Amino acid sequence: MYDYRQVEAVAAVVLEGSFEKAAARLHITQSAVSQRVKALEDSLGRMLVVRASPVRATDEGQRIVEHYLKVGQLEADLGASLVTDRPAAWTTLPVAINADSLATWFLDAVGPLLRRERVLLDIVTEDQEHTYRLLREGRVAACITTRADPVQGWRSLALGDMPSLCLATPEFAARWFSEGLTPAAVREAPAVLYNRKDSLHHRFLSDLFEEEVDFPAHYVPSSERFVDVLAGGFAYGIVPALQAERHLADGVLCDLAPGRAVSVHLYWHCWSLTTRFVEELTENVVSHARAVLGWRVPAR
């Protein structure tokens, strides 16, 4: 039987990314956190965390964190099922969500669950091609990703296609793309990307021109401010169609390449172990996403 304080310390260090933040989370000293982690490593005879910045779990450490999160969910299920005069404790679900889904449909999907249950979401925002890493590291209980293949012990459920459009203000289009969206114009016109992991703009241009094209770019890591940069006439960029509808309808933005949407197929990954809150979260996310995104069986 493991010392659960030691298991909790390992999980806190990995989830928070540092011994200092783990100490604040557990309301103990940093030295106590370090001693508990070291004690569990010594008892198991293997390293559980890589002491870097941020701290990350080894393969064995990832399994410890995943175990800790699952036990927390099972305890929450048990607490909710017991008859008591005291209100049920809040349970926290760490999830990794891509910024575009968070800005468009995700909160609508989980709203009914949050209104009905004592559930707290701990959302980590990451590019849809990188949320999978957080899952493999044991830092989240579920994620939205472009990867179809599940981690061992997890489920993968298709959500649907999320199309995005290449947009700018009419004034920006007239200034930079008077002869259309050409490779020569793209090499000069300022684009905007979410961050340096954002590959969607590159993919759109490669599909359009059938070659790689270099371009100048702003980096704006906020879905809302990203659209503000476009609406301000400072750049052109790739925006989810769900987020673009209103701006296209009122004429603030225009489609630079009609009929040339670039899509990503999204998947929901979660534990195979069924707990009530994870099951309800999964049901809400999958059903809402499939309705909004236009789900179809993905080609294999």
Side-chain angles (χ1 to χ4, degrees):
M1 180 69 98
Y2 298 130
D3 183 325
Y4 205 69
R5 295 182 306 165
Q6 296 171 2
V7 171
E8 183 182 44
V10 170
V13 168
V14 173
L15 294 173
E16 296 295 336
S18 76
F19 283 81
E20 181 181 3
K21 291 180 180 178
R25 172 174 175 156
L26 299 176
H27 306 291
I28 59 177
T29 66
Q30 186 172 334
S31 175
V33 173
S34 181
Q35 289 172 18
R36 292 179 185 182
V37 172
K38 182 69 164 56
L40 186 54
E41 289 179 325
D42 288 346
S43 69
L44 295 175
R46 61 196 66 193
M47 184 179 293
L48 299 175
V49 299
V50 177
R51 290 153 174 81
S53 183
V55 174
R56 65 181 186 275
T58 63
D59 289 345
E60 292 81 3
Q62 289 172 19
R63 289 195 284 274
I64 291 291
V65 176
E66 184 176 332
H67 169 78
Y68 170 80
L69 292 174
K70 288 180 178 178
V71 169
Q73 287 303 304
L74 291 171
E75 288 180 346
D77 280 2
L78 176 61
S81 68
L82 296 176
V83 177
T84 175
D85 294 332
R86 296 166 56 188
W90 287 93
T91 185
T92 299
L93 285 173
V95 294
I97 309 298
N98 61 308
D100 288 340
S101 291
L102 184 59
T104 51
W105 62 267
F106 182 76
L107 292 181
D108 290 334
V110 300
L113 175 65
L114 300 183
R115 294 187 189 98
R116 186 176 66 251
E117 304 287 356
R118 293 174 69 82
V119 176
L120 303 173
L121 293 183
D122 184 357
I123 297 176
V124 180
T125 306
E126 183 58 277
D127 185 87
Q128 62 266 6
E129 296 178 7
H130 297 272
T131 51
Y132 194 81
R133 171 181 54 82
L134 300 176
L135 185 72
R136 290 190 64 88
E137 291 175 357
R139 295 176 59 187
V140 295
C143 77
I144 293 174
T145 177
T146 53
R147 295 280 297 271
D149 51 311
V151 176
Q152 184 175 1
W154 295 69
R155 287 183 291 165
S156 173
L157 300 168
L159 297 179
D161 287 312
M162 193 167 191
S164 295
L165 308 174
C166 186
L167 306 180
T169 62
E171 295 77 15
F172 186 96
R175 176 183 177 186
W176 294 99
F177 299 118
S178 58
E179 297 183 8
L181 201 63
T182 65
V186 162
R187 291 187 182 96
E188 296 297 323
V192 59
L193 277 64
Y194 185 80
N195 58 28
R196 285 170 175 78
K197 298 176 184 177
D198 183 358
S199 62
L200 206 55
H201 197 108
H202 294 272
R203 200 180 111 198
F204 171 79
L205 294 178
S206 294
D207 290 347
L208 183 64
F209 302 131
E210 298 182 348
E211 64 175 331
E212 295 287 339
V213 180
D214 292 328
F215 55 89
H218 303 285
Y219 294 94
V220 180
S222 163
S223 293
E224 292 76 14
R225 299 286 80 82
F226 187 102
V227 175
D228 289 343
V229 170
L230 299 183
F234 309 128
Y236 75 106
I238 307 298
V239 180
L242 288 172
Q243 197 175 8
E245 289 176 348
R246 174 171 59 86
H247 303 285
L248 290 170
D250 61 21
V252 171
L253 298 176
C254 64
D255 190 346
L256 297 177
R260 297 300 298 261
V262 57
S263 292
V264 293
H265 197 88
L266 298 178
Y267 295 83
W268 174 254
H269 290 246
C270 62
W271 292 325
S272 294
L273 172 68
T274 299
T275 68
R276 186 169 69 89
F277 289 134
V278 171
E279 196 65 22
E280 289 188 23
L281 177 66
T282 295
E283 181 180 344
N284 286 16
V285 167
V286 173
S287 61
H288 186 84
R290 288 180 176 180
V292 170
L293 300 180
W295 177 76
R296 59 179 175 78
V297 177
R300 293 293 186 181

